[in-house]
Amino acid sequence: MKKLYYPLFALATLAMTSTSCSDELNNGTSADSNEATVSFKVQLENAVGSRAIGDGTNAKYLAFAVYKEAVNDTIDNEVEALRQDNIEVDSETLTATVTTRLVKGQTYNFIFWAQNEKTKTGTDAAPVYKGTYYDVKDLRDIEVLYGTNNSITANDEKRDAFYAVEKELKITGPINETITLKRPFAQVNVGTKIGSLAEAATAETTITQSKMVIKGVASKLHPYSGKVSEAKDVTYTLANIPESNHTDLAGDLKDVQDVDYEYLSMNYILVNDQDPGTANKIDGTKKGLVNATFE
C-alpha cells in the first residue's frame, strides 16, 4: 500500500451564539386577557444557494423549550407543557415558525435547537429524545453522542445542527420575533490542491476515504450559557470523502492562498465558545499548508 503525501489545508469556522431582532406588536389579544400570543420565526444562519457542505439543509427538525427563571447564568423550571418537538424546518428558506401563549407580566427564557433527526420519537407516555447524533431530552444540557469508544463515522453531514437562546423576555403583549440559529461547532475541512486526487489515481492509488482523530472534543453543549464540557478524544472513522460536487473550497480558502482545493474530509467538532462569526484556523496551519498521510 502506498503512502501519499500531499499539501493539505485544514480550516475551522466557528459560530457560537445567536442574534435576534424584536418587533413587538400591539394587537392579537384582548385588553383584559392574562395571556399573549408569542410567535418566533426561526431562521438558520446559512442562506440556501447552490448545494454545499454546511448549507444548513441537513437541520430538518426543531425543538423549542420555555423556562421561567434564570439564576447565575443557568435556568430552571422548564414549562414542560410548552415544549414543542419535531417542528419542521423548510428546506428552501431554512425557516420555521413557533407559536405559544404566555402569561403577561412574566419573564421567560427560550432555547431553540435544530437537527437532522426528529427531536422526539416514541409515544407521549414513553417519549424518546435520544437519537443517532444527539440526546436532547434536556435542552439545557445537549449531549453529543460519539458512539461506542468515542468512535463515529467521518464526513457525516447529518451531524450538522443549530441553536439559539432568547433570554429574559418579558411578556407585555403579543410578540413577533425573528431568531437566528447558529452552528455551535467548528466545521473542520481538510482539502488538497485540485488535481492531486486525479494524480494519485493515475499513480494507481485511488483515494476515496478519509478519517480523522481529534483530541479534547467537547461532548456537552449548555446553550443558555454558551459553554461546553466533558472533553473526549474522538475518532472519526474511515468513510467516503465528501463529494466533489459540493464545492471546490475555492471560496473558503482563496483568502489564505491563491490555489483551488477539493475536499478530503469534513467533520463537526464542539469547541469552546468564542466570539460569533470568528474564523479560526487549526493550530499550525494559519499561514498555509500542512502535510497529512492517506493510504
Side-chain angles (χ1 to χ4, degrees):
M1 181 178 294
K2 296 181 180 180
K3 291 187 177 181
L4 300 179
Y5 296 84
Y6 285 102
L8 305 177
F9 187 87
L11 174 74
T13 302
L14 177 66
M16 286 302 301
T17 61
S18 63
T19 60
S20 65
C21 59
S22 177
D23 179 20
E24 186 168 350
L25 304 181
N26 293 316
N27 53 26
T29 60
S30 60
D32 58 353
S33 173
N34 289 327
E35 295 183 338
T37 299
V38 177
S39 182
F40 297 101
K41 179 182 179 182
V42 174
Q43 172 75 61
L44 302 191
E45 67 174 339
N46 295 70
V48 178
S50 59
R51 181 70 178 90
I53 286 179
D55 65 0
T57 55
N58 278 294
K60 298 179 178 179
Y61 296 98
L62 176 73
F64 164 75
V66 182
Y67 303 86
K68 290 182 66 176
E69 293 185 6
V71 180
N72 297 326
D73 209 26
T74 62
I75 46 178
D76 293 310
N77 293 338
E78 178 182 349
V79 186
E80 295 183 7
L82 297 180
R83 172 156 174 165
Q84 299 180 38
D85 283 279
N86 301 336
I87 303 167
E88 293 190 9
V89 177
D90 186 275
S91 61
E92 295 296 325
T93 63
L94 297 185
T95 61
T97 300
V98 181
T99 301
T100 188
R101 291 183 63 82
L102 299 172
V103 177
K104 288 182 181 179
Q106 295 292 321
T107 298
Y108 296 91
N109 302 277
F110 308 88
I111 296 177
F112 307 81
W113 172 263
Q115 64 180 34
N116 179 262
E117 299 175 308
K118 288 186 174 180
T119 57
K120 176 184 175 182
T121 57
T123 65
D124 289 340
V128 177
Y129 298 97
K130 187 175 183 178
T132 304
Y133 305 107
Y134 303 102
D135 186 338
V136 295
K137 181 178 181 180
D138 187 347
L139 288 182
R140 298 169 301 178
D141 298 289
I142 296 171
E143 182 178 2
V144 183
L145 303 178
Y146 289 124
T148 303
N149 297 322
N150 298 327
S151 180
I152 60 176
T153 303
N155 309 324
D156 190 350
E157 290 187 69
K158 291 183 179 180
R159 284 192 168 272
D160 202 5
F162 297 79
Y163 85 105
V165 297
E166 179 74 355
K167 298 182 179 181
E168 303 296 319
L169 180 61
K170 186 172 183 178
I171 308 304
T172 59
I175 294 175
N176 278 352
E177 186 165 330
T178 298
I179 302 290
T180 300
L181 274 65
K182 295 198 173 185
R183 185 180 285 116
F185 310 103
Q187 186 189 84
V188 180
N189 301 321
V190 177
T192 185
K193 186 171 70 174
I194 285 180
S196 294
L197 294 181
E199 180 183 341
T202 301
E204 299 182 351
T205 301
T206 302
I207 299 174
T208 59
Q209 296 184 316
S210 64
K211 69 177 182 179
M212 181 178 292
V213 178
I214 304 179
K215 295 186 176 182
V217 180
S219 61
K220 278 198 174 182
L221 170 68
H222 312 285
Y224 190 79
S225 65
K227 297 178 181 179
V228 298
S229 64
E230 298 188 20
K232 299 179 179 180
D233 296 343
V234 179
T235 299
Y236 296 80
T237 61
L238 202 64
N240 290 341
I241 62 177
E243 295 179 10
S244 60
N245 62 2
H246 285 302
T247 178
D248 62 7
L249 279 177
D252 291 334
L253 301 184
K254 268 198 168 183
D255 61 330
V256 179
Q257 184 165 334
D258 192 19
V259 178
D260 287 349
Y261 292 81
E262 54 191 336
Y263 277 107
L264 282 174
S265 70
M266 183 288 308
N267 294 290
Y268 293 106
I269 65 171
L270 192 60
V271 296
N272 289 327
D273 52 312
Q274 299 185 24
D275 292 337
T278 300
N280 299 278
K281 307 297 188 297
I282 299 299
D283 288 347
T285 69
K286 183 175 182 180
K287 294 183 179 180
L289 303 176
V290 294
N291 289 323
T293 302
F294 289 83
E295 298 183 350

